[in-house]
Structure formats: C-alpha cells, structure tokens
Amino acid sequence: MKSSIGLGILLTSLAYFLFTGHDVTIKLLVESMSVWQILFFRTVTILIGCLFVGRLELVDNIVHSPIIKPMAIRSILLLTAWLSYYTAARHLQLAELTTLYFAAPVVATVLAMVFLKETVFWPRWLAVAVGFTGVVIASNPTGLTLSLPVYLTLQAAVLWASATILLRKTAMAEKSIVQMTMSNLFFLAMTGIMLFWHWKTPDLQEAILLAATGIVGGLAQFAFFEGMRRAPVSVLAPFEYTSLVWAFFLGYLIWSDIPRPGVVVGAALIVFAGIIIIVSERLRQHAEA
C-alpha cells in the first residue's frame, strides 16, 4: 500500500515485533533484577540514543514543545499500566494474562471513536473481533474468575489504550524523537527514585541484556510513534494482536516451546485480521480516488 496508512501499518507491525523481542529480554532479566531497575537502564539507553541523534537542537525543541503536559500524563498512564501488568503476572497464567490484556485494541477502537472522532468502518470492527477471537483460541484461558489480578490486567489494558489515544493526539504536533525523549525523561525521574530501593549491580550478561533492552525498546518506540503519525488508531489497533504471533514464534526459537494446535489456529485468525484491514483500506482508498 503506497500510502500514509500503508506505511503506518508497516511501522506499527514492526514496532510490535520489536516490542515482543524487548519483552523477551525483560523476561530473561526479571529472574534476577527488579522491573524498576530494568526500566531505568532501558530509559537511560534510549535517552543516550536520542541525544546522540538530536544533539542541541533536540534540547531546544523539548524546552519549547507545546506537548509537555500531555506527554507527562501519557508517561504516568504507561508506568501505571506496566506496574499493574507485572503485578498481575505473578498471579495469573500466561494464557489468562494475554487474553485479558488484549482487550486493549478493543478499548482503543472505542476510545478513538469518542475522543478522536474517528469513523470506524465495519471492516475495522470485524478485524478487532477476529483478532481477539484468535487471541482467546491461542491462549485458551480456563477457570478465569474475577479477582484483583484480573482487575489489574484489565486496568493495564485500559491504561495502555488511553495512552495510545493520547499519543495519536500529540503525534501530529511534534517530531517522534522529541516525543520519545520527553516520555523517557519522565520515566527516568520516576524509575530513578525507586532505584534507591531496588539497585543490584549487573554482571556482564545482565549488562548486555540491559543494553539490548534499551536499543530494541528505543527502535520499537520510534517505529510506534511514526506509525501513529500516519494512520488512525482504529486501523492500527488490530495489529497489536500480531505481537502474540511473534511471542509464540520467539518462544519456540529461544525456549523450544511447542505451540498447541489451538495456537496455530489463533495465529491464523490474527494474521487474517490484519489482512482484513489491509484489503479493506486499499479498497476504500480506490473507491475514494
């Protein structure tokens, strides 16, 4: 698709692939290190990269940026979402956690209609529904009952969706590198305070993983910010489900996890949801041309 929307889809899909790789490094690190310290080192790595690319001009742009307040709010939403998610992860099975969290694209689509006034055509709703069905089939949650961890996971999904909507509103007003730097400056302040109680001197392997987390996370953030600049949230929301496909693929590649038959069916539905969006947007653009 030679269009802004097509590029937005490609960038967002790349972002979710990179975010999945980023989660793999975090999964390896949380066995011996706190989430606060991991997020701190990731933030420092991303900021170093942003300052290396943007130099003094970046600092000037941040000082005079009109979106400082919304970016601060977005950072608080994201930090609260991650804390809720990782707290719930200690008490829920991966299948339950995944299915509940992937309510986020549904919430984002609804919020896009309310706050961004996006017109959500029926193929977009269909793609969200098909993708979520694929997640449920792949994850196969059983015996799930209402509890605090369930609430925390749903809270994380709503907060992530809200942060995505806020990003779409600010994405058109500022460069991606400026938004990345501002967001990570807020994270640096919030995680740096907690580091006094959670510090652990990393060994060589942990240091390499921490650097990798920052590099991959930074690239993922840039692709995500750029994708949001180019396409409506309701178009991009279903592509968040692709991260589940990448998670199963990397799980097999790194830990030799063998996917169940239901995982294959669910992954196929998730891919089909993406195809629905791509084909429907292309047909709609041809009709409007």
Side-chain angles (χ1 to χ4, degrees):
M1 295 173 64
K2 296 180 180 179
S3 66
S4 176
I5 290 180
L7 183 56
I9 289 173
L10 287 174
L11 286 168
T12 303
S13 299
L14 173 62
Y16 284 123
F17 167 69
L18 292 172
F19 276 132
T20 306
H22 163 270
D23 289 345
V24 168
T25 60
I26 289 182
K27 180 176 173 61
L28 294 170
L29 283 166
V30 291
E31 297 177 2
S32 59
M33 192 171 291
S34 74
V35 175
W36 289 106
Q37 187 169 352
I38 296 169
L39 291 178
F40 175 82
F41 274 96
R42 189 200 71 160
T43 299
V44 169
T45 304
I46 294 174
L47 283 174
I48 291 173
C50 289
L51 292 172
F52 178 78
V53 174
R55 301 183 187 279
L56 291 179
E57 181 183 353
L58 176 60
V59 177
D60 183 66
N61 288 337
I62 291 173
V63 172
H64 298 94
S65 177
I67 63 167
I68 294 178
K69 184 176 179 179
M71 289 304 293
I73 296 173
R74 181 176 182 273
S75 298
I76 294 172
L77 289 175
L78 283 177
L79 182 61
T80 308
W82 282 338
L83 290 175
S84 299
Y85 182 82
Y86 286 120
T87 301
R90 298 174 182 173
H91 306 282
L92 294 177
Q93 296 179 2
L94 179 60
E96 297 170 339
L97 194 70
T98 302
T99 304
L100 289 168
Y101 183 74
F102 274 114
V106 181
V107 177
T109 302
V110 174
L111 293 180
M113 294 176 58
V114 176
F115 294 104
L116 300 181
K117 307 303 179 184
E118 290 185 8
T119 301
V120 183
F121 301 101
W122 70 264
R124 299 179 187 176
W125 281 116
L126 178 61
V128 169
V130 170
F132 187 71
T133 301
V135 171
V136 173
I137 293 174
S139 301
N140 190 29
T142 57
L144 194 61
T145 57
L146 188 61
S147 62
L148 180 59
V150 169
Y151 166 77
L152 288 174
T153 308
L154 291 173
Q155 175 177 276
V158 173
L159 290 172
W160 170 259
S162 302
T164 301
I165 296 299
L166 192 56
L167 174 60
R168 174 64 178 174
K169 291 179 71 70
T170 60
M172 310 308 294
E174 193 59 272
K175 296 178 181 178
S176 294
I177 191 172
V178 174
Q179 295 185 71
M180 283 178 61
T181 305
M182 292 173 62
S183 178
N184 282 282
L185 281 172
F186 289 120
F187 266 95
L188 184 67
M190 292 183 286
T191 58
I193 294 173
M194 297 302 298
L195 201 62
F196 287 102
W197 292 275
H198 296 276
W199 173 261
K200 172 186 178 297
T201 302
D203 57 28
L204 179 59
Q205 181 179 355
E206 290 170 336
I208 293 173
L209 285 173
L210 286 169
T213 301
I215 294 171
V216 176
L219 292 173
Q221 281 188 17
F222 183 77
F224 188 66
F225 281 123
E226 285 293 308
M228 282 292 163
R229 291 168 62 87
R230 290 169 167 79
V233 171
S234 57
V235 171
L236 300 178
F239 289 90
E240 185 170 352
Y241 295 131
T242 60
S243 59
L244 182 63
V245 179
W246 293 120
F248 287 127
F249 173 74
L250 291 176
Y252 172 75
L253 195 65
I254 298 172
W255 291 286
S256 299
D257 295 337
I258 305 298
R260 296 174 291 100
V263 171
V264 178
V265 174
L269 286 173
I270 292 169
V271 172
F272 182 58
I275 294 174
I276 291 174
I277 287 290
I278 294 172
V279 173
S280 65
E281 289 300 316
R282 189 167 188 174
L283 291 175
R284 189 172 64 83
Q285 289 175 14
H286 281 310
E288 292 176 353

